Amino acid sequence: MDQPATLAWKYAASLIRVEDLPMVAAHLLAAGHDSPSLRDLAGRSRHEHPADIRELFGHTMEELGIQIPDDETAERCLLHHMATRLSAGVLSPMDAAARVWQGIETVTDPERTLVAAVGLEYQLDFMSREEVRAWENAVRRAAKTLSATAFPRAQ
């Protein structure tokens, strides 16, 4: 189970659906986290009104001392997460390219380098095998550099 801060950015990046938050809360409780709102959220149904669940999740994160990041920070967290997975060999350069969008707000040079390296993906159909391998290696190098940097923090 992910830590609360990871869940906060994953939620903000739309990797966790609102209707899944009660089960996420139950897993947090099972992992030893606790707060009044967390217990309340864990007892809710996935079919309750989404606005109520979102509000309760916000209270839960607040009680746990976690700030839910804004969209830009959540996107940057996702970029760092993908870089880490790519560096570990869990994610392929092609899979990463399918998830990285050129409009993402980058702040650091390693973030910009990864986005730029992935940006050539749309040309892969016109590249030779050697050029594709070079592109994959460039993406992996950029991901390794980015994964060695600190994750963004909510402001």
Side-chain angles (χ1 to χ4, degrees):
M1 176 88 243
D2 289 327
Q3 291 297 312
T6 301
L7 294 170
W9 75 254
K10 283 183 174 183
Y11 168 73
S14 301
L15 296 180
I16 299 174
R17 299 177 308 183
V18 173
E19 61 268 22
D20 293 331
L21 290 175
M23 185 56 72
V24 166
H27 287 293
L28 282 174
L29 278 173
H33 300 279
D34 193 21
S35 82
S37 293
L38 180 62
R39 290 189 300 273
D40 186 3
L41 182 57
R44 299 290 180 111
S45 164
R46 65 180 293 118
H47 302 292
E48 292 196 32
H49 196 280
D52 295 338
I53 297 298
R54 278 192 292 273
E55 182 179 355
L56 196 49
F57 183 71
H59 291 309
T60 297
M61 291 293 109
E62 195 174 294
E63 289 171 359
L64 295 175
I66 305 297
Q67 184 176 356
I68 298 175
D70 59 29
D71 291 343
E72 178 184 314
T73 303
E75 286 179 350
R76 291 180 57 230
C77 287
L78 177 58
L79 188 64
H80 281 249
H81 177 70
M82 286 191 301
T84 300
R85 292 174 47 89
L86 219 160
S87 295
V90 177
L91 190 66
S92 73
M94 191 67 81
D95 290 337
R99 296 179 181 163
V100 172
W101 51 102
Q102 295 303 307
I104 189 170
E105 291 292 327
T106 57
V107 174
T108 67
D109 286 338
E111 290 171 353
R112 284 187 279 279
T113 301
L114 178 58
V115 171
V118 167
L120 299 175
E121 177 267 337
Y122 68 93
Q123 299 175 2
L124 289 177
D125 292 340
F126 307 104
M127 292 180 172
S128 69
R129 260 187 287 192
E130 293 79 25
E131 290 170 321
V132 170
R133 271 195 295 273
W135 171 80
E136 289 174 335
N137 289 335
V139 170
R140 284 187 183 103
R141 279 191 307 276
K144 185 175 182 179
T145 299
L146 180 57
S147 67
T149 65
F151 247 63
R153 297 275 181 235
Q155 302 299 333

